[in-house]
Amino acid sequence: MRKYILTLIVICSVFCTANAQKIGHFSYKAVLNGIPAYIAAQQELERMRKAYTEELQNGEREFSEKYELFIEQQQSLAPAISEKRRSELQELYNSNIKFRDESQRMLKQKEQDAMTPIKESIKRAVNMVGQGGGYLLIVNTDSDACPYLDGAATEDVTAAILSQLR
């Protein structure tokens, strides 16, 4: 009986060792920063963000100037003119709010449009590295989903993923 249990343990350990799978890990941020398309997309988004911010500041400045002028002249204006200018100020204010909201929506959409193909290409590269390297699992170390990972027990495949993307 003892021989039987010992033989079973040896067979199980040999079987488990033979079927041991490799586990890889990579830095998603490092991969992103290594992709020229991502860097170009970030630069374009920053350019758009700057342009929208400047336009918003111009609109706010215009509103402030007109509002201050209105406050200075309000006492001397006829009621109909005062009401007209008040209405114009309200329209300008609403226009600035609408532009701010629309610019934020457009920036978000532009970022999503730019990132979708990049994320898909990373996903394909990870799959290719995983299949080609015989990995059971490849973990993104930048997320909080895996708070501990023994670097000695896994392989860093960041470079391999980047090479697939080039």
Side-chain angles (χ1 to χ4, degrees), residues 67-79:
Y67 181 73
E68 288 172 11
L69 183 63
F70 172 72
I71 295 299
E72 288 175 11
Q73 297 174 345
Q74 185 176 13
Q75 298 298 330
S76 63
L77 296 175

Side-chain angles (χ1 to χ4, degrees), residues 30 33 45 50 60 66 84 99 128 151:
N33 290 323
L45 286 169
K50 185 178 178 183
E60 289 171 359
K66 287 185 177 185
K84 177 184 178 269
F99 179 76
M128 290 172 73

